[in-house]
Amino acid sequence: MSLDHNLPRVLIVENQDSKLALPQRLAAQGWQLVVQKLDQLDPSQWPGIGLIHIPGQEAHEPLAPVTGALQKGSYIALCGKEALNSSKIQTLIRTAFHDYCDESAPTQRFAHTLERLLSETRPRFDALPPPSLILGSSIAMTELRHRLSTYGHSELPVLLLGESGTGKECAAQWIHHHSSRREHPFVALNCAAIPDTQFSTELFGHETGMLNGEPQKRAGHIAVAERGTLFLDEIGDMSQTSQATLLRFLESNCYTPVGGKRERQADVRIVCASNHNLHEEVRTGSFRLDLFHRLNVLSLDLPPLRQHLEDIPVLAEHFLHHHQPPVTLDESAMSALMCHDFPGNVRELRNCLLRAAVNNRHGLIRSEDLGLEEPVRAEPPTQSLSQYRNRQESQYIRQCLEDCKNNVQEAANRLKISRSSLYRLMEKHHIHLP
Ligand SMILES: Nc1ncnc2c1ncn2[C@@H]1O[C@H](COP(=O)(O)OP(=O)(O)OP(=O)(O)O)[C@@H](O)[C@H]1O
């Protein structure tokens, strides 16, 4: 994939023989990476922020050619334990680097250090969201981030569809922050929460004459979002009257505040979202076809969490990262999460983890602490056969390991596969032995 020049890039300088898993993990969080070998550095490719890997004591000599240039940029030293014990390397870090990270630290820590560095050194990126906002390394999430960034470069309306809690508002923000409007407001309006009689006022504002010699005015959401993005959430819940009002505005891009006399031209990009099946609502007549066509120019379906369960470990790490005192999930809890249906999607996952973390006293969340109920299906199954098989496979392996008290050889015998195949499958399904 080519680099998006609107996004902050991170340079990772690796030593010839280093095998860092980090680039892959950071990429999964939405960072754009330029990975270069120490002896093949191309300064023209350098972004202003980066991680330089110093694996061991011997490694500070080859760094000499780059330390001069480091003063201009902002770099974090990525060190192994051995390097951190060396006084020479400690001096090098103090004089030439902004900060350092232990290479065995969790990915989230690198991401936070990079975000902090980015906000201190690059004010022009201030308007960008933290790149980790839409997490996940599944094909579905990688494709989603790519499509959203592409949509960011367009001015056309976007319709985001998906179940509640799948991240539609996050997606709308991502589009805004990847558009040329990012330095202007992102304004969200929940259409379901507005009574019919107030819809025009909320959208267009009002001018109701003078009171004590002062003009009585209130700006509507369109005026507040001027030159930015107006996110209309829950559009499937709008009444017919509100739909007609919105359509009139979209047709001309002009509006008159309630009680006002002068018509105004709007300059806003419209992104809207719904968790209803709008196609069905158009068919039954509860959503206007002409409005649907106006809004449905670029559209995107956000996948439910049960279709990208492999993202649960990284999402869980993210949601629990800031919790104090620190908490982790044990194997049984991770297993329960991987088997749950999540009708409330990522929001349900977040709430369930935060609740368990708050109620936890031992720093370890077990499956019974999660309070997961029997899955309630919101819709008929929508996963592909291979996703279903994957899930069953993961569940079966976990069960088998548990029955064999985590004895891998015994579990492999029972499953009638080799020990190394079982290890491969455990890695694939993020199964870790306690
Ligand atoms: N891929 C993701 N990575 C990180 N956080 C996510 C992701 N998807 C959703 N979330 C988090 O899940 C929660 C719900 O997301 P959001 O409000 O965007 O969902 P929604 O689809 O707009 O929900 P609703 O339809 O109910 O309005 C938020 O806290 C959001 O930050």
Side-chain angles (χ1 to χ4, degrees):
M1 200 195 308
S2 65
L3 287 173
D4 178 340
H5 292 280
N6 288 318
L7 268 180
R9 278 179 289 156
V10 178
L11 170 72
I12 296 193
V13 182
E14 288 185 341
N15 235 22
Q16 200 103 50
D17 51 354
S18 62
K19 284 198 183 59
L20 284 178
L22 183 68
Q24 224 182 344
R25 282 150 54 199
L26 281 174
Q29 298 208 339
W31 291 89
Q32 292 200 105
L33 306 172
V34 180
V35 183
Q36 293 186 358
K37 293 282 180 205
L38 193 55
D39 58 349
Q40 293 161 9
L41 279 180
D42 172 5
S44 67
Q45 285 284 309
W46 287 17
I49 158 168
L51 289 159
I52 295 191
H53 190 209
I54 311 180
Q57 295 216 14
E58 74 291 352
H60 70 283
E61 287 303 335
L63 270 182
V66 284
T67 47
L70 286 180
Q71 315 290 345
K72 292 187 212 131
S74 303
Y75 291 85
I76 297 166
L78 176 61
C79 304
K81 288 255 178 312
E82 196 191 342
L84 283 172
N85 288 334
S86 146
S87 60
K88 278 186 184 164
I89 290 179
Q90 285 170 9
T91 310
L92 178 72
I93 291 173
R94 263 199 303 278
T95 50
F97 288 84
H98 177 89
D99 203 347
Y100 73 92
C101 263
D102 178 342
E103 66 183 351
S104 58
T107 318
Q108 204 60 37
R109 191 157 317 148
F110 294 119
H112 283 137
T113 312
L114 287 170
E115 271 161 29
R116 203 182 55 234
L117 180 57
L118 201 58
S119 63
E120 284 168 19
T121 56
R122 289 289 180 96
R124 73 195 172 89
F125 286 130
D126 276 359
L128 287 171
S132 54
L133 203 62
I134 296 182
L135 297 175
S137 55
S138 59
I139 295 175
M141 286 297 108
T142 310
E143 172 67 11
L144 176 68
R145 282 191 295 267
H146 183 59
R147 291 273 295 280
L148 291 171
S149 305
T150 311
Y151 286 1
H153 301 310
S154 162
E155 275 292 300
L156 294 170
V158 183
L159 174 61
L160 301 166
L161 296 174
E163 292 174 20
S164 183
T166 46
K168 297 184 293 298
E169 179 150 3
C170 292
Q173 286 175 359
W174 182 287
I175 292 173
H176 172 72
H177 287 288
H178 290 80
S179 77
S180 58
R181 295 173 174 269
R182 64 180 166 275
E183 268 149 36
H184 301 285
F186 172 88
V187 177
L189 178 63
N190 183 346
C191 299
I194 307 169
D196 249 5
T197 46
Q198 276 172 32
F199 190 71
S200 298
T201 313
E202 289 298 325
L203 213 52
F204 308 138
H206 68 86
E207 292 174 7
T208 50
M210 308 288 277
L211 183 69
N212 300 333
E214 293 287 320
Q216 293 297 290
K217 283 188 186 174
R218 205 190 107 204
H221 283 71
I222 294 175
V224 177
E226 181 67 13
R227 301 179 69 195
T229 303
L230 178 61
F231 173 53
L232 301 172
D233 202 2
E234 319 276 8
I235 52 157
D237 293 290
M238 277 192 302
S239 70
Q240 292 285 336
T241 318
S242 299
Q243 289 181 35
T245 308
L246 180 61
L247 181 65
R248 260 196 316 280
F249 162 67
L250 293 174
E251 276 168 345
S252 63
N253 233 7
C254 290
Y255 66 100
T256 308
V258 174
K261 295 196 174 66
R262 200 167 59 84
E263 190 177 68
R264 288 152 205 246
Q265 177 80 35
D267 176 8
V268 285
R269 169 141 192 228
I270 302 287
V271 176
C272 48
S274 176
N275 50 29
H276 291 220
N277 182 343
L278 280 192
H279 298 270
E280 181 58 18
E281 306 224 329
V282 167
R283 205 186 57 76
T284 58
S286 56
F287 199 84
R288 292 179 67 132
L289 178 66
D290 42 9
L291 179 58
F292 180 73
H293 283 317
R294 281 256 161 221
L295 299 173
N296 184 32
V297 183
L298 300 175
S299 70
L300 207 52
D301 282 303
L302 276 86
L305 183 55
R306 62 182 169 280
Q307 286 183 6
H308 58 108
L309 291 170
E310 64 269 41
D311 290 327
I312 286 181
V314 75
L315 286 164
E317 184 188 332
H318 169 70
F319 292 134
L320 294 177
H321 179 71
H322 290 293
H323 195 269
Q324 283 304 334
V327 280
T328 48
L329 295 164
D330 80 357
E331 193 57 33
S332 72
M334 186 54 84
S335 176
L337 291 174
M338 300 295 281
C339 295
H340 189 61
D341 242 16
F342 288 105
N345 296 295
V346 184
R347 181 182 290 115
E348 181 187 350
L349 172 69
R350 188 198 63 178
N351 293 350
C352 137
L353 289 171
L354 296 182
R355 196 173 43 239
V358 167
N359 292 329
N360 186 274
R361 296 207 198 111
H362 322 287
L364 195 65
I365 299 176
R366 296 155 311 169
S367 61
E368 57 268 36
D369 304 327
L370 293 169
L372 291 172
E373 287 172 10
E374 278 302 296
V376 181
R377 277 195 194 283
E379 283 189 354
T382 49
Q383 38 186 341
S384 69
L385 188 58
S386 76
Q387 282 164 334
Y388 179 77
R389 278 190 189 133
N390 252 331
R391 212 163 141 202
Q392 295 296 320
E393 185 176 85
S394 162
Q395 240 167 295
Y396 193 56
I397 293 171
R398 284 171 201 276
Q399 179 66 51
C400 191
L401 281 164
E402 208 178 305
D403 290 352
C404 298
K405 304 203 167 27
N406 293 321
N407 182 325
V408 178
Q409 186 60 61
E410 200 183 320
N413 293 344
R414 216 184 265 196
L415 293 166
K416 300 201 175 14
I417 56 175
S418 69
R419 198 178 141 93
S420 56
S421 304
L422 179 54
Y423 273 120
R424 260 198 309 279
L425 287 168
M426 287 165 63
E427 200 178 319
K428 173 179 160 195
H429 295 296
H430 306 281
I431 302 174
H432 307 288
L433 295 177

